[in-house]
Amino acid sequence: MALWVFVVFLAALAFAVPIAMSMVMGALTPLVLGGTGSSIQQLIANSFSGSDTTPILAVPLFILGGVLMAEGGISRRLFNFFAYFVGNLPGGLPCAVILTCLFYGAISGSGPATTAAVGSMTIPFLIDMGYDRTWSSGMVATAGGLGVIIPPSIPFVLYSLATGVSTGALFLGGVLPGILIGLSMMIYAVAYCMRKGEDKEKIKVKMKELRSKGFLNLFKESFWALLSPVIVLGGIYSGIVTPTEAACISVFYSLFVSLVIYKSFTVKEIIPFLGNAVKTYAPLCFVLAFATAFGRVLALAKAPALIENFILNNFSSSFSVLTGIVVIFLLLGMVMDTGPAIVILAPILLPAVQSLGVDPVHFGVIMVCCLSIGLATPPFGLDLFVAGTLSDTPPMSVARKAMPFIIAFGIALFIITYIPWFSLVLL
Amino acid sequence: MSRLKWLNDHFEEAIMVFLLATISSVMMAQIIARTFAVSMTWPEEFCRYCYIWTVFLSLGYTIKKGNMLRVGILMDLLPQKVRKTIEIIVNIIMLVIFIILFRYSIVYTGKVKATGQFSPAMHIPMWIMYMSTVIGFGLSVLRMIQELISNFKNFNKKIETTLEATLKEAKQEVEATRIDYAEKADLTGGEI
């Protein structure tokens, strides 16, 4: 029966049926075939109760907080702050861009939004400074997608919803892997700049201009943006607020910073931002609701147990299983959105890898890392298209220049997958 | 007529925006109240119920906007006419499913009403909450019919591939970040 549920579900996906409806079709399969499954009324009740939890509220709230913060024009402030420190080093400016992307992604929680906000400012700047147009776009496209690994991160909230693993633990688990991926991309960027050479004169002039503003001024400008993740994470780990409440605080913090400090928009302009946030999370709402209902049908059909047996019988080590899973996730990330992939697959696969001794937090980190790189890989990586649109270059040539960055990411991913220490040491 | 058109375009969206603003404000008020005075149980329940209404309204909204998440690449490989036909068949199947869900959501809400259940914190009759399923699936039936009508009307028009849709989305994303060129040029400037 479990097999039929999967067959119907996958066939529906292939015919471009929306993911939420594919799950409904899969869930109704046992009923149609006369096996044991949920009745239609149970399906409705499950999709209702699946939405009736407080942790799920963190998703719309974090998205709203990100939308509001992104309007605050903080990408420039962050970039100036990082450029102050590393701008004069070889490959310094590209590294400052990568740092900005990772940090901005943590605040905004959306890969394409990060690429657009950071790229629209830094790509013309890098081109001005004599860096290759396509290369700069490829770099921003790749780095933009990876910001979601550094907390607060919506994919981690979704993984936590799907598996019951603590959101706070996942956020902590994502910190070092995020830094590691950033480092490995920066190493490539520096190597590239040393080999190709840079326009030192131009950079010196710009850097002098930047330094003349003084560290204190730059710090004051970027302080409020830098503080945002600190407030969210600090609130969660000190036990003052739950992750959901932290998301709510991030909304009002962003509002406060944008309205009072940066004055980047007025009260009247808030409603369109709410509309933007709704537009971003509405497609996720139903996937989440039906994923619960679909998960129960799969559990009734004993699918997780079947998959666990299959994996345990065919693979003996967590090493080979993880390799297989990483490859599947990387391929899946290219065609499917991160959110649905997490809520559908995490509950099915987690029991199996757990019985091989893989930590649930570590597995979550691997999953989120793999799926988020999908935004920068052809054929449909949205980040490539955003960066391409920004720099007037065809997305596929951006993809070619992004390849070395993706390989740098792959090396970091290899380390993260096989050395659980990086994901678990902070817990 | 123009008012009707506005309702058609924005009905679910307007309610969802309102609900999001409500959820944020009530939850923030609850955090403040808890920190300085008393902790209450009703705000959390209230927020959850607001979200449930959002969930069931999101169906009609995403059908209308055409932004339901899907995996479109296999269909891109097929010729236009075949794709259109499959799309219509898929939409008809979805319409049937929505009609079934609509019907059973009425049955289920009736059952909940018969039990006379109340919500634990706010003591609202539970069937009022389950009305969100009835209204949500009802609206999706309507939106699906609208979608099918436009499918038949535009049968000969070219439909966009996943690639084109992605490109369009990318353009919107870029336009949404309102950084004008002046600001781009003045990188090191900027006011505090």
Side-chain angles (χ1 to χ4, degrees), chain A residues 20 23 46-47 50-51 56-57 59-60 154 157-159 161-162 281-294 339-340 342-344, chain B residues 51 55 69:
Chain A
M23 289 194 279
N46 283 341
S47 62
S51 314
I56 215 169
L57 289 168
V59 177
I154 290 161
V157 176
L158 296 177
Y159 181 84
L161 283 170
Y281 72 74
L284 259 182
C285 284
F286 236 85
V287 174
L288 289 179
F290 276 142
T292 319
F294 186 53
I342 289 175
V343 292
I344 295 167
Chain B
Y51 177 73
V55 169
L69 299 174

PDB file of all heavy atoms in Angstrom, chain A residues 20 23 46-47 50-51 56-57 59-60 154 157-159 161-162 281-294 339-340 342-344, chain B residues 51 55 69:
ATOM      1  N   ALA A  20       1.055  20.339  -2.904  1.00  0.00           N
ATOM      2  CA  ALA A  20       0.047  20.115  -1.863  1.00  0.00           C
ATOM      3  C   ALA A  20      -1.029  19.152  -2.368  1.00  0.00           C
ATOM      4  O   ALA A  20      -1.436  18.224  -1.662  1.00  0.00           O
ATOM      5  CB  ALA A  20      -0.587  21.443  -1.453  1.00  0.00           C
ATOM      6  N   MET A  23       0.023  15.564  -2.615  1.00  0.00           N
ATOM      7  CA  MET A  23      -0.039  14.875  -1.322  1.00  0.00           C
ATOM      8  C   MET A  23      -1.463  14.424  -1.034  1.00  0.00           C
ATOM      9  O   MET A  23      -1.678  13.323  -0.516  1.00  0.00           O
ATOM     10  CB  MET A  23       0.476  15.802  -0.217  1.00  0.00           C
ATOM     11  CG  MET A  23       1.969  16.009  -0.294  1.00  0.00           C
ATOM     12  SD  MET A  23       2.636  16.741   1.206  1.00  0.00           S
ATOM     13  CE  MET A  23       2.279  18.436   0.942  1.00  0.00           C
ATOM     14  N   ASN A  46      -7.042  16.246   9.944  1.00  0.00           N
ATOM     15  CA  ASN A  46      -5.584  16.260  10.087  1.00  0.00           C
ATOM     16  C   ASN A  46      -4.959  17.526   9.518  1.00  0.00           C
ATOM     17  O   ASN A  46      -3.988  18.043  10.063  1.00  0.00           O
ATOM     18  CB  ASN A  46      -4.960  15.046   9.387  1.00  0.00           C
ATOM     19  CG  ASN A  46      -5.134  13.778  10.194  1.00  0.00           C
ATOM     20  OD1 ASN A  46      -5.387  13.840  11.390  1.00  0.00           O
ATOM     21  ND2 ASN A  46      -5.014  12.641   9.549  1.00  0.00           N
ATOM     22  N   SER A  47      -5.497  18.009   8.397  1.00  0.00           N
ATOM     23  CA  SER A  47      -4.910  19.227   7.838  1.00  0.00           C
ATOM     24  C   SER A  47      -5.237  20.409   8.748  1.00  0.00           C
ATOM     25  O   SER A  47      -4.473  21.367   8.830  1.00  0.00           O
ATOM     26  CB  SER A  47      -5.381  19.471   6.404  1.00  0.00           C
ATOM     27  OG  SER A  47      -6.763  19.661   6.363  1.00  0.00           O
ATOM     28  N   GLY A  50      -2.959  19.878  11.875  1.00  0.00           N
ATOM     29  CA  GLY A  50      -1.570  20.104  11.478  1.00  0.00           C
ATOM     30  C   GLY A  50      -1.212  21.576  11.479  1.00  0.00           C
ATOM     31  O   GLY A  50      -0.046  21.948  11.650  1.00  0.00           O
ATOM     32  N   SER A  51      -2.214  22.433  11.281  1.00  0.00           N
ATOM     33  CA  SER A  51      -1.958  23.876  11.274  1.00  0.00           C
ATOM     34  C   SER A  51      -2.164  24.470  12.654  1.00  0.00           C
ATOM     35  O   SER A  51      -1.816  25.611  12.910  1.00  0.00           O
ATOM     36  CB  SER A  51      -2.904  24.575  10.301  1.00  0.00           C
ATOM     37  OG  SER A  51      -2.953  23.882   9.092  1.00  0.00           O
ATOM     38  N   ILE A  56       4.356  26.599  14.340  1.00  0.00           N
ATOM     39  CA  ILE A  56       4.199  26.862  12.910  1.00  0.00           C
ATOM     40  C   ILE A  56       4.084  28.371  12.647  1.00  0.00           C
ATOM     41  O   ILE A  56       4.433  28.855  11.569  1.00  0.00           O
ATOM     42  CB  ILE A  56       2.961  26.105  12.365  1.00  0.00           C
ATOM     43  CG1 ILE A  56       3.224  25.621  10.942  1.00  0.00           C
ATOM     44  CG2 ILE A  56       1.713  26.958  12.380  1.00  0.00           C
ATOM     45  CD1 ILE A  56       2.173  24.662  10.438  1.00  0.00           C
ATOM     46  N   LEU A  57       3.641  29.126  13.662  1.00  0.00           N
ATOM     47  CA  LEU A  57       3.491  30.574  13.493  1.00  0.00           C
ATOM     48  C   LEU A  57       4.835  31.257  13.241  1.00  0.00           C
ATOM     49  O   LEU A  57       4.881  32.367  12.718  1.00  0.00           O
ATOM     50  CB  LEU A  57       2.842  31.175  14.741  1.00  0.00           C
ATOM     51  CG  LEU A  57       1.363  30.846  14.940  1.00  0.00           C
ATOM     52  CD1 LEU A  57       0.919  31.245  16.333  1.00  0.00           C
ATOM     53  CD2 LEU A  57       0.530  31.565  13.907  1.00  0.00           C
ATOM     54  N   VAL A  59       6.909  30.563  11.053  1.00  0.00           N
ATOM     55  CA  VAL A  59       7.184  30.675   9.612  1.00  0.00           C
ATOM     56  C   VAL A  59       6.700  32.006   9.044  1.00  0.00           C
ATOM     57  O   VAL A  59       7.515  32.786   8.526  1.00  0.00           O
ATOM     58  CB  VAL A  59       6.594  29.472   8.847  1.00  0.00           C
ATOM     59  CG1 VAL A  59       6.812  29.620   7.365  1.00  0.00           C
ATOM     60  CG2 VAL A  59       7.186  28.180   9.354  1.00  0.00           C
ATOM     61  N   PRO A  60       5.382  32.344   9.145  1.00  0.00           N
ATOM     62  CA  PRO A  60       4.977  33.651   8.610  1.00  0.00           C
ATOM     63  C   PRO A  60       5.664  34.818   9.314  1.00  0.00           C
ATOM     64  O   PRO A  60       5.985  35.817   8.661  1.00  0.00           O
ATOM     65  CB  PRO A  60       3.462  33.692   8.848  1.00  0.00           C
ATOM     66  CG  PRO A  60       3.143  32.589   9.768  1.00  0.00           C
ATOM     67  CD  PRO A  60       4.210  31.559   9.613  1.00  0.00           C
ATOM     68  N   ILE A 154      14.458  29.801   8.077  1.00  0.00           N
ATOM     69  CA  ILE A 154      13.136  29.197   7.918  1.00  0.00           C
ATOM     70  C   ILE A 154      13.211  27.694   7.605  1.00  0.00           C
ATOM     71  O   ILE A 154      12.438  26.921   8.151  1.00  0.00           O
ATOM     72  CB  ILE A 154      12.314  29.982   6.877  1.00  0.00           C
ATOM     73  CG1 ILE A 154      11.958  31.341   7.486  1.00  0.00           C
ATOM     74  CG2 ILE A 154      11.032  29.247   6.511  1.00  0.00           C
ATOM     75  CD1 ILE A 154      11.558  32.376   6.513  1.00  0.00           C
ATOM     76  N   VAL A 157      13.268  25.903  10.783  1.00  0.00           N
ATOM     77  CA  VAL A 157      11.969  25.905  11.452  1.00  0.00           C
ATOM     78  C   VAL A 157      11.093  24.806  10.852  1.00  0.00           C
ATOM     79  O   VAL A 157      10.422  24.050  11.569  1.00  0.00           O
ATOM     80  CB  VAL A 157      11.274  27.277  11.315  1.00  0.00           C
ATOM     81  CG1 VAL A 157       9.880  27.231  11.929  1.00  0.00           C
ATOM     82  CG2 VAL A 157      12.087  28.373  11.982  1.00  0.00           C
ATOM     83  N   LEU A 158      11.127  24.678   9.534  1.00  0.00           N
ATOM     84  CA  LEU A 158      10.308  23.664   8.859  1.00  0.00           C
ATOM     85  C   LEU A 158      10.756  22.257   9.255  1.00  0.00           C
ATOM     86  O   LEU A 158       9.935  21.374   9.503  1.00  0.00           O
ATOM     87  CB  LEU A 158      10.392  23.832   7.336  1.00  0.00           C
ATOM     88  CG  LEU A 158       9.838  25.144   6.793  1.00  0.00           C
ATOM     89  CD1 LEU A 158      10.043  25.227   5.290  1.00  0.00           C
ATOM     90  CD2 LEU A 158       8.358  25.272   7.122  1.00  0.00           C
ATOM     91  N   TYR A 159      12.071  22.035   9.309  1.00  0.00           N
ATOM     92  CA  TYR A 159      12.602  20.721   9.705  1.00  0.00           C
ATOM     93  C   TYR A 159      12.151  20.406  11.122  1.00  0.00           C
ATOM     94  O   TYR A 159      11.762  19.270  11.419  1.00  0.00           O
ATOM     95  CB  TYR A 159      14.126  20.741   9.614  1.00  0.00           C
ATOM     96  CG  TYR A 159      14.790  19.440   9.973  1.00  0.00           C
ATOM     97  CD1 TYR A 159      14.933  18.431   9.027  1.00  0.00           C
ATOM     98  CD2 TYR A 159      15.273  19.212  11.253  1.00  0.00           C
ATOM     99  CE1 TYR A 159      15.539  17.227   9.359  1.00  0.00           C
ATOM    100  CE2 TYR A 159      15.885  18.023  11.595  1.00  0.00           C
ATOM    101  CZ  TYR A 159      16.016  17.032  10.640  1.00  0.00           C
ATOM    102  OH  TYR A 159      16.620  15.843  10.975  1.00  0.00           O
ATOM    103  N   LEU A 161       9.461  21.560  12.616  1.00  0.00           N
ATOM    104  CA  LEU A 161       8.028  21.264  12.584  1.00  0.00           C
ATOM    105  C   LEU A 161       7.773  19.835  12.130  1.00  0.00           C
ATOM    106  O   LEU A 161       6.904  19.142  12.642  1.00  0.00           O
ATOM    107  CB  LEU A 161       7.315  22.214  11.618  1.00  0.00           C
ATOM    108  CG  LEU A 161       7.066  23.631  12.087  1.00  0.00           C
ATOM    109  CD1 LEU A 161       6.573  24.482  10.924  1.00  0.00           C
ATOM    110  CD2 LEU A 161       6.047  23.629  13.209  1.00  0.00           C
ATOM    111  N   ALA A 162       8.571  19.393  11.146  1.00  0.00           N
ATOM    112  CA  ALA A 162       8.324  18.076  10.546  1.00  0.00           C
ATOM    113  C   ALA A 162       8.816  16.934  11.428  1.00  0.00           C
ATOM    114  O   ALA A 162       8.283  15.828  11.348  1.00  0.00           O
ATOM    115  CB  ALA A 162       8.984  18.003   9.168  1.00  0.00           C
ATOM    116  N   TYR A 281       4.671  33.408   1.909  1.00  0.00           N
ATOM    117  CA  TYR A 281       4.398  32.195   2.680  1.00  0.00           C
ATOM    118  C   TYR A 281       3.105  31.477   2.308  1.00  0.00           C
ATOM    119  O   TYR A 281       2.937  30.316   2.667  1.00  0.00           O
ATOM    120  CB  TYR A 281       4.504  32.443   4.186  1.00  0.00           C
ATOM    121  CG  TYR A 281       3.394  33.252   4.820  1.00  0.00           C
ATOM    122  CD1 TYR A 281       2.129  32.706   5.021  1.00  0.00           C
ATOM    123  CD2 TYR A 281       3.629  34.543   5.244  1.00  0.00           C
ATOM    124  CE1 TYR A 281       1.123  33.450   5.612  1.00  0.00           C
ATOM    125  CE2 TYR A 281       2.629  35.284   5.838  1.00  0.00           C
ATOM    126  CZ  TYR A 281       1.382  34.736   6.017  1.00  0.00           C
ATOM    127  OH  TYR A 281       0.386  35.461   6.600  1.00  0.00           O
ATOM    128  N   ALA A 282       2.204  32.163   1.564  1.00  0.00           N
ATOM    129  CA  ALA A 282       0.934  31.504   1.212  1.00  0.00           C
ATOM    130  C   ALA A 282       1.142  30.147   0.516  1.00  0.00           C
ATOM    131  O   ALA A 282       0.482  29.173   0.874  1.00  0.00           O
ATOM    132  CB  ALA A 282       0.075  32.427   0.356  1.00  0.00           C
ATOM    133  N   PRO A 283       2.070  30.048  -0.459  1.00  0.00           N
ATOM    134  CA  PRO A 283       2.237  28.745  -1.113  1.00  0.00           C
ATOM    135  C   PRO A 283       2.715  27.653  -0.152  1.00  0.00           C
ATOM    136  O   PRO A 283       2.500  26.478  -0.406  1.00  0.00           O
ATOM    137  CB  PRO A 283       3.313  29.013  -2.179  1.00  0.00           C
ATOM    138  CG  PRO A 283       3.298  30.476  -2.392  1.00  0.00           C
ATOM    139  CD  PRO A 283       2.935  31.079  -1.073  1.00  0.00           C
ATOM    140  N   LEU A 284       3.360  28.075   0.961  1.00  0.00           N
ATOM    141  CA  LEU A 284       3.872  27.091   1.913  1.00  0.00           C
ATOM    142  C   LEU A 284       2.788  26.572   2.858  1.00  0.00           C
ATOM    143  O   LEU A 284       2.816  25.422   3.276  1.00  0.00           O
ATOM    144  CB  LEU A 284       4.963  27.737   2.764  1.00  0.00           C
ATOM    145  CG  LEU A 284       6.400  27.448   2.402  1.00  0.00           C
ATOM    146  CD1 LEU A 284       7.298  28.149   3.395  1.00  0.00           C
ATOM    147  CD2 LEU A 284       6.682  25.959   2.425  1.00  0.00           C
ATOM    148  N   CYS A 285       1.818  27.470   3.185  1.00  0.00           N
ATOM    149  CA  CYS A 285       0.794  27.142   4.188  1.00  0.00           C
ATOM    150  C   CYS A 285       0.165  25.782   3.936  1.00  0.00           C
ATOM    151  O   CYS A 285       0.093  24.938   4.821  1.00  0.00           O
ATOM    152  CB  CYS A 285      -0.311  28.185   4.167  1.00  0.00           C
ATOM    153  SG  CYS A 285       0.118  29.715   4.942  1.00  0.00           S
ATOM    154  N   PHE A 286      -0.297  25.579   2.722  1.00  0.00           N
ATOM    155  CA  PHE A 286      -1.048  24.365   2.460  1.00  0.00           C
ATOM    156  C   PHE A 286      -0.167  23.149   2.352  1.00  0.00           C
ATOM    157  O   PHE A 286      -0.570  22.053   2.709  1.00  0.00           O
ATOM    158  CB  PHE A 286      -1.918  24.520   1.220  1.00  0.00           C
ATOM    159  CG  PHE A 286      -3.293  24.223   1.609  1.00  0.00           C
ATOM    160  CD1 PHE A 286      -4.073  25.216   2.148  1.00  0.00           C
ATOM    161  CD2 PHE A 286      -3.768  22.930   1.586  1.00  0.00           C
ATOM    162  CE1 PHE A 286      -5.312  24.922   2.629  1.00  0.00           C
ATOM    163  CE2 PHE A 286      -5.007  22.637   2.073  1.00  0.00           C
ATOM    164  CZ  PHE A 286      -5.787  23.630   2.587  1.00  0.00           C
ATOM    165  N   VAL A 287       1.053  23.362   1.850  1.00  0.00           N
ATOM    166  CA  VAL A 287       1.994  22.241   1.818  1.00  0.00           C
ATOM    167  C   VAL A 287       2.219  21.747   3.243  1.00  0.00           C
ATOM    168  O   VAL A 287       2.192  20.543   3.514  1.00  0.00           O
ATOM    169  CB  VAL A 287       3.320  22.670   1.166  1.00  0.00           C
ATOM    170  CG1 VAL A 287       4.343  21.568   1.262  1.00  0.00           C
ATOM    171  CG2 VAL A 287       3.100  23.063  -0.285  1.00  0.00           C
ATOM    172  N   LEU A 288       2.396  22.694   4.187  1.00  0.00           N
ATOM    173  CA  LEU A 288       2.609  22.312   5.584  1.00  0.00           C
ATOM    174  C   LEU A 288       1.394  21.594   6.149  1.00  0.00           C
ATOM    175  O   LEU A 288       1.513  20.560   6.814  1.00  0.00           O
ATOM    176  CB  LEU A 288       2.893  23.558   6.429  1.00  0.00           C
ATOM    177  CG  LEU A 288       4.228  24.238   6.212  1.00  0.00           C
ATOM    178  CD1 LEU A 288       4.349  25.459   7.095  1.00  0.00           C
ATOM    179  CD2 LEU A 288       5.344  23.261   6.519  1.00  0.00           C
ATOM    180  N   ALA A 289       0.194  22.139   5.877  1.00  0.00           N
ATOM    181  CA  ALA A 289      -1.022  21.550   6.437  1.00  0.00           C
ATOM    182  C   ALA A 289      -1.223  20.124   5.924  1.00  0.00           C
ATOM    183  O   ALA A 289      -1.498  19.204   6.690  1.00  0.00           O
ATOM    184  CB  ALA A 289      -2.226  22.415   6.083  1.00  0.00           C
ATOM    185  N   PHE A 290      -1.071  19.937   4.628  1.00  0.00           N
ATOM    186  CA  PHE A 290      -1.312  18.610   4.061  1.00  0.00           C
ATOM    187  C   PHE A 290      -0.155  17.651   4.305  1.00  0.00           C
ATOM    188  O   PHE A 290      -0.338  16.443   4.251  1.00  0.00           O
ATOM    189  CB  PHE A 290      -1.627  18.703   2.568  1.00  0.00           C
ATOM    190  CG  PHE A 290      -3.065  19.004   2.310  1.00  0.00           C
ATOM    191  CD1 PHE A 290      -3.445  19.847   1.287  1.00  0.00           C
ATOM    192  CD2 PHE A 290      -4.053  18.431   3.095  1.00  0.00           C
ATOM    193  CE1 PHE A 290      -4.777  20.125   1.041  1.00  0.00           C
ATOM    194  CE2 PHE A 290      -5.394  18.702   2.868  1.00  0.00           C
ATOM    195  CZ  PHE A 290      -5.750  19.555   1.841  1.00  0.00           C
ATOM    196  N   ALA A 291       1.045  18.207   4.559  1.00  0.00           N
ATOM    197  CA  ALA A 291       2.177  17.319   4.856  1.00  0.00           C
ATOM    198  C   ALA A 291       1.881  16.519   6.117  1.00  0.00           C
ATOM    199  O   ALA A 291       2.221  15.339   6.207  1.00  0.00           O
ATOM    200  CB  ALA A 291       3.460  18.118   5.015  1.00  0.00           C
ATOM    201  N   THR A 292       1.221  17.157   7.087  1.00  0.00           N
ATOM    202  CA  THR A 292       0.853  16.442   8.312  1.00  0.00           C
ATOM    203  C   THR A 292      -0.119  15.315   7.979  1.00  0.00           C
ATOM    204  O   THR A 292       0.060  14.171   8.416  1.00  0.00           O
ATOM    205  CB  THR A 292       0.155  17.400   9.299  1.00  0.00           C
ATOM    206  OG1 THR A 292       0.843  18.635   9.277  1.00  0.00           O
ATOM    207  CG2 THR A 292       0.145  16.827  10.685  1.00  0.00           C
ATOM    208  N   ALA A 293      -1.153  15.654   7.189  1.00  0.00           N
ATOM    209  CA  ALA A 293      -2.153  14.654   6.825  1.00  0.00           C
ATOM    210  C   ALA A 293      -1.519  13.524   6.009  1.00  0.00           C
ATOM    211  O   ALA A 293      -1.780  12.336   6.245  1.00  0.00           O
ATOM    212  CB  ALA A 293      -3.270  15.319   6.030  1.00  0.00           C
ATOM    213  N   PHE A 294      -0.652  13.894   5.067  1.00  0.00           N
ATOM    214  CA  PHE A 294       0.040  12.918   4.219  1.00  0.00           C
ATOM    215  C   PHE A 294       0.944  12.027   5.069  1.00  0.00           C
ATOM    216  O   PHE A 294       0.983  10.808   4.893  1.00  0.00           O
ATOM    217  CB  PHE A 294       0.857  13.691   3.178  1.00  0.00           C
ATOM    218  CG  PHE A 294       1.520  12.836   2.128  1.00  0.00           C
ATOM    219  CD1 PHE A 294       0.788  11.923   1.389  1.00  0.00           C
ATOM    220  CD2 PHE A 294       2.881  12.972   1.864  1.00  0.00           C
ATOM    221  CE1 PHE A 294       1.397  11.154   0.411  1.00  0.00           C
ATOM    222  CE2 PHE A 294       3.493  12.213   0.890  1.00  0.00           C
ATOM    223  CZ  PHE A 294       2.750  11.298   0.162  1.00  0.00           C
ATOM    224  N   GLY A 339      11.304  24.102   1.060  1.00  0.00           N
ATOM    225  CA  GLY A 339      10.297  23.865   2.088  1.00  0.00           C
ATOM    226  C   GLY A 339       9.570  22.532   1.939  1.00  0.00           C
ATOM    227  O   GLY A 339       9.621  21.694   2.841  1.00  0.00           O
ATOM    228  N   PRO A 340       8.899  22.319   0.799  1.00  0.00           N
ATOM    229  CA  PRO A 340       8.180  21.054   0.618  1.00  0.00           C
ATOM    230  C   PRO A 340       9.106  19.845   0.722  1.00  0.00           C
ATOM    231  O   PRO A 340       8.739  18.838   1.343  1.00  0.00           O
ATOM    232  CB  PRO A 340       7.617  21.161  -0.800  1.00  0.00           C
ATOM    233  CG  PRO A 340       7.597  22.595  -1.118  1.00  0.00           C
ATOM    234  CD  PRO A 340       8.653  23.265  -0.307  1.00  0.00           C
ATOM    235  N   ILE A 342      11.717  19.429   2.502  1.00  0.00           N
ATOM    236  CA  ILE A 342      12.018  19.148   3.906  1.00  0.00           C
ATOM    237  C   ILE A 342      10.826  18.518   4.606  1.00  0.00           C
ATOM    238  O   ILE A 342      10.947  17.475   5.248  1.00  0.00           O
ATOM    239  CB  ILE A 342      12.441  20.432   4.642  1.00  0.00           C
ATOM    240  CG1 ILE A 342      13.820  20.875   4.168  1.00  0.00           C
ATOM    241  CG2 ILE A 342      12.468  20.210   6.151  1.00  0.00           C
ATOM    242  CD1 ILE A 342      14.287  22.178   4.726  1.00  0.00           C
ATOM    243  N   VAL A 343       9.643  19.127   4.478  1.00  0.00           N
ATOM    244  CA  VAL A 343       8.519  18.618   5.272  1.00  0.00           C
ATOM    245  C   VAL A 343       8.054  17.247   4.785  1.00  0.00           C
ATOM    246  O   VAL A 343       7.480  16.487   5.551  1.00  0.00           O
ATOM    247  CB  VAL A 343       7.324  19.609   5.331  1.00  0.00           C
ATOM    248  CG1 VAL A 343       7.696  20.830   6.131  1.00  0.00           C
ATOM    249  CG2 VAL A 343       6.831  19.977   3.962  1.00  0.00           C
ATOM    250  N   ILE A 344       8.301  16.910   3.527  1.00  0.00           N
ATOM    251  CA  ILE A 344       7.891  15.590   3.053  1.00  0.00           C
ATOM    252  C   ILE A 344       8.928  14.530   3.431  1.00  0.00           C
ATOM    253  O   ILE A 344       8.603  13.467   3.947  1.00  0.00           O
ATOM    254  CB  ILE A 344       7.683  15.599   1.526  1.00  0.00           C
ATOM    255  CG1 ILE A 344       6.518  16.511   1.153  1.00  0.00           C
ATOM    256  CG2 ILE A 344       7.395  14.187   1.017  1.00  0.00           C
ATOM    257  CD1 ILE A 344       6.437  16.826  -0.316  1.00  0.00           C
TER     258      ILE A 344
ATOM    259  N   TYR B  51      -4.142  31.853  12.247  1.00  0.00           N
ATOM    260  CA  TYR B  51      -3.288  31.192  11.263  1.00  0.00           C
ATOM    261  C   TYR B  51      -4.066  30.111  10.506  1.00  0.00           C
ATOM    262  O   TYR B  51      -3.897  29.951   9.300  1.00  0.00           O
ATOM    263  CB  TYR B  51      -2.043  30.591  11.927  1.00  0.00           C
ATOM    264  CG  TYR B  51      -1.176  29.846  10.948  1.00  0.00           C
ATOM    265  CD1 TYR B  51      -0.402  30.535  10.014  1.00  0.00           C
ATOM    266  CD2 TYR B  51      -1.159  28.456  10.897  1.00  0.00           C
ATOM    267  CE1 TYR B  51       0.369  29.867   9.088  1.00  0.00           C
ATOM    268  CE2 TYR B  51      -0.393  27.777   9.969  1.00  0.00           C
ATOM    269  CZ  TYR B  51       0.372  28.485   9.074  1.00  0.00           C
ATOM    270  OH  TYR B  51       1.117  27.826   8.149  1.00  0.00           O
ATOM    271  N   VAL B  55      -4.422  29.571   6.549  1.00  0.00           N
ATOM    272  CA  VAL B  55      -4.089  28.361   5.798  1.00  0.00           C
ATOM    273  C   VAL B  55      -5.175  28.032   4.789  1.00  0.00           C
ATOM    274  O   VAL B  55      -4.893  27.799   3.605  1.00  0.00           O
ATOM    275  CB  VAL B  55      -3.879  27.164   6.755  1.00  0.00           C
ATOM    276  CG1 VAL B  55      -3.809  25.862   5.981  1.00  0.00           C
ATOM    277  CG2 VAL B  55      -2.626  27.358   7.573  1.00  0.00           C
ATOM    278  N   LEU B  69       3.174  25.831  -5.313  1.00  0.00           N
ATOM    279  CA  LEU B  69       4.480  25.215  -5.553  1.00  0.00           C
ATOM    280  C   LEU B  69       4.295  23.920  -6.323  1.00  0.00           C
ATOM    281  O   LEU B  69       3.466  23.090  -5.969  1.00  0.00           O
ATOM    282  CB  LEU B  69       5.166  24.923  -4.220  1.00  0.00           C
ATOM    283  CG  LEU B  69       5.451  26.136  -3.335  1.00  0.00           C
ATOM    284  CD1 LEU B  69       5.985  25.687  -1.990  1.00  0.00           C
ATOM    285  CD2 LEU B  69       6.441  27.058  -4.015  1.00  0.00           C
TER     286      LEU B  69
END
